[in-house]
Amino acid sequence: MRGGSFETMQTHRTPDVALWDQYRALREQWTHEDMLVGQRITWLILAEGLLFNAYMALGSKAMGVLTLAFPFFGIVVAALIGVGVFTALRASEQVRLEYARSGLADLCPLAPEVHLARRGRWAPKALPFVFGALWALALLAQLGS
């Protein structure tokens, strides 16, 4: 206080900083969901690889229930991890929509262009179905023999 008047305190939070904070929060959330997709695809490949390896190692030695259990379990694993992948992809899409609604596109792009991002999602979307189909073929082969 100088000469009986109060000085206005300046804050470090300006609208520009607030916009960048919002951008960083959305970017962090989007990155988190993207990493979840990657982790779940890694789980899928590892789990299915181990199951296929064990199934093939047993080969004709597998009897009865095991010949049906491996393909059934492989389908269940592909379905459950697939649900997790699609959930994370949907969450990242919601973050992208929130980003578009917020008007931050002029500040900085959140992710690659939409058409590029869609192509990048083909593999995580397809792999659970590919593994499920392989196991379904194995199951059909066992039922047919």
Side-chain angles (χ1 to χ4, degrees):
M1 183 162 97
R2 289 186 218 150
S5 66
F6 290 97
E7 288 184 36
T8 309
M9 184 173 173
Q10 296 295 320
T11 177
H12 71 283
R13 308 263 321 160
T14 63
D16 291 337
V17 173
L19 288 175
W20 278 109
D21 285 347
Q22 185 179 10
Y23 168 79
R24 279 191 291 274
L26 288 171
R27 176 71 185 177
E28 184 177 325
Q29 188 176 2
W30 185 84
T31 302
H32 172 74
E33 297 299 337
D34 193 51
M35 290 187 70
L36 284 178
V37 171
Q39 289 172 347
R40 289 170 182 165
I41 289 299
T42 300
W43 298 344
L44 179 67
I45 292 169
L46 287 173
E48 296 292 353
L50 289 171
L51 283 171
F52 275 126
N53 193 18
Y55 181 67
M56 296 309 289
L58 285 175
S60 62
K61 294 181 242 170
M63 297 196 189
V65 158
L66 268 183
T67 60
L68 298 176
F70 269 101
F72 180 73
F73 187 64
I75 291 169
V76 169
V77 167
L80 290 175
I81 295 176
V83 167
V85 167
F86 277 86
T87 301
L89 288 171
R90 179 68 183 127
S92 67
E93 183 64 20
Q94 286 180 321
V95 171
R96 192 189 64 73
L97 291 173
E98 175 63 29
Y99 177 80
R101 279 193 299 267
S102 70
L104 293 171
D106 295 335
L107 190 63
C108 189
L110 179 68
E113 293 182 34
V114 174
H115 71 281
L116 294 174
R118 282 193 184 124
R119 285 187 218 149
R121 292 185 182 114
W122 290 350
K125 285 181 175 181
L127 277 175
F129 293 106
V130 169
F131 282 117
L134 287 172
W135 282 115
L137 289 173
L139 186 60
L140 288 173
Q142 290 300 323
L143 292 174
S145 60

